[in-house]
Amino acid sequence: MKVVKANCSCEAGSFGKKCWHLKTLEQMIKKELRERIKKARHEMMQIEEDIASWG
């Protein structure tokens, strides 16, 4: 994933504060990252099971 610096043009953002818009965005990104990690872990486990079945 590409990491970028985010800012918001709402009132809190205009004062350099972290508004609820940015907090929501951070939560969405964390959720997406967790899902990608879970998927990769599952795929790795499948590969290990396949390799174990060969021998």
Side-chain angles (χ1 to χ4, degrees):
M1 280 200 266
K2 185 177 180 180
V3 178
V4 296
K5 183 177 179 179
N7 57 13
C8 187
S9 60
C10 72
E11 187 176 354
S14 66
F15 290 105
K17 305 289 184 184
K18 189 183 286 187
C19 63
W20 69 271
H21 306 110
L22 293 178
K23 289 178 183 177
T24 302
L25 179 62
E26 286 177 347
Q27 290 173 350
M28 290 172 59
I29 291 169
K30 286 178 184 178
K31 181 179 178 186
E32 173 70 21
L33 184 57
R34 279 193 302 268
E35 290 173 359
R36 287 186 183 195
I37 290 170
K38 185 177 179 181
K39 181 180 177 187
R41 185 179 201 180
H42 178 73
E43 290 173 356
M44 289 174 62
M45 295 300 288
Q46 284 296 124
I47 292 169
E48 284 187 21
E49 288 177 12
D50 290 345
I51 292 171
S53 70
W54 297 344

